[in-house]
Structure formats: structure tokens, C-alpha cells
Amino acid sequence: MSYRMDPDLLRQRAAFQKHAARTVSVQQRPQIQLPSPSASHTTYNAEAAKKKKKPVQPTPKPVAELDFRSAISHSNAANFGTMAKIVDYMKKRHLSQQQWPLSLQEILDELQVYDLPKRSEAWLKEALPKNPRLTCDEESKFCYKPPYKIKGKTSLVAVAKKHHQDVKGGILLSELNDCIPNGEKVLEALADQIIVVPTQVNKRKDKVFFYNDQELDIHIEDGND
């Protein structure tokens, strides 16, 4: 009579035999002999290593870089300051009837500006022709350009009348003073043609004048007559 073993038991037996064979193989591996400290060819001396160790050098601080943005801002401020000085000088010449044109070099000479950097001079040559208070001719010479073409009483009344017709409002006394000297006295002499009203611009007292249109005068009659 033959006896048939359970398949599960056969699988467990085969797995056990395989595991046992692997264990024996591992145990039979020769052990690796590590060299003893005395057999080593290298030795480490902590004290000697400390002596040979180089001292840590302090990290050099980076050289301070030039703040180009700040430098450019300062340069632009100086250039605009010079241009404002030129415009103010040209206005004074205009008001004193010195209205012939001047080159940039002639202006700088009259202002006694002799140490202007070449870069600033080049900037002025480009910027001055674009300034609304200056005119530049074909010879690159400059004249002051007042806000209005007013040279005296007649032209003042004409400009005020044109402003009135175009419904542009009034003209400031401060603007008139950029056109002619003693603007307020001229207005007083034209009291019958010009109306002057006190005003305030940017928290500064000023006056504004209008053309006195006689055709707009309204006469009211007393209805009780």
C-alpha cells in the first residue's frame, strides 16, 4: 500500500531544505581577517595634525561697489539745476531787453561756469532745445521764450481779448511778469480794458486778469419808473 504525502507538506519540506542548504553555505564562507593596528602602514598623530593644520584665513570683505544709480541720480540733479539756472538767466536777459540769441558756451561764459563736465555739457546740448521756455535756432543758439507774446500794452490787450474769445479764461500776473517787466503797473494803466481779480495758485498769492468785454455790460433799469 503506497502512502501519498499532502502537497502542502511537500512544498513546506522543499522550502525547509532550500533554507537549510543556504544557511550551511553562509556558515562555510571564510571569514575575512582584518589587519591589526600594528600591521597598518599608516598612523594618525592628532597632535601633529593640529600643528600642520593651516590657520583659517579671515574672508576678505568685498570691495564696496559704486552705487551707480545714486551717482546717476546725483548727476541728473546737478544737470537739471544747471538748466534751471540757464533758463532763469535767459529770462532776466529777456526782461532787460537783451534778446539776442546765445550759444550754450556763451551762456556758460556769462554765467562764469567753467568747470562743467563734458558729459553734463552734452546733456545740456540735448535737453535745452526741448525746454519749453527756450527757443533754439539753426545755429544752436538760444533765446528765452515767454509764456505769451506780450511786449507791451497793445499786445497785452490783444492776447487777453483772444483768450476771452477762445474761452480760455484769464492770465496770471506771474505769467505776465515772465513776459514783460513791471506787469502789475501795466495792468493798472489798462484798468478800463482789463479786469484784475486776486487769486491763489499753489498756496501762493497771485492775480488773474481778463479782457473787459464792453459788449457784455448789462444795464438794469428800475421797473418802478
Side-chain angles (χ1 to χ4, degrees), residues 92-200:
K92 290 178 180 178
R93 290 183 73 255
H94 175 84
L95 295 176
S96 61
Q97 303 302 316
Q98 301 178 42
Q99 298 177 2
W100 58 88
L102 296 176
S103 66
L104 174 59
Q105 189 58 54
E106 290 171 337
I107 296 172
L108 295 176
D109 289 343
E110 292 192 11
L111 288 173
Q112 298 182 355
V113 177
Y114 304 117
D115 56 349
L116 189 69
K118 293 296 183 182
R119 182 176 297 179
S120 296
E121 185 175 344
W123 184 90
L124 287 171
K125 287 181 179 179
E126 183 178 354
L128 286 176
K130 301 175 184 178
N131 191 290
R133 284 291 166 264
L134 296 175
T135 60
C136 183
D137 60 18
E138 296 178 354
E139 298 179 356
S140 297
K141 291 190 174 184
F142 300 94
C143 278
Y144 179 72
K145 181 182 179 181
Y148 300 101
K149 294 181 179 180
I150 298 176
K151 297 182 179 181
K153 296 178 182 179
T154 303
S155 56
L156 188 154
V157 174
V159 171
K161 184 176 182 179
K162 186 70 166 58
H163 249 57
H164 171 70
Q165 293 172 344
D166 295 341
V167 196
K168 291 183 178 180
I171 299 174
L172 293 174
L173 174 61
S174 57
E175 293 177 322
L176 178 62
N177 287 333
D178 287 345
C179 302
I180 57 175
N182 303 318
E184 192 164 10
K185 290 184 178 181
V186 175
L187 290 177
E188 292 174 357
L190 297 171
D192 58 333
Q193 302 180 65
I194 298 296
I195 299 174
V196 181
V197 179
T199 187
Q200 191 173 18

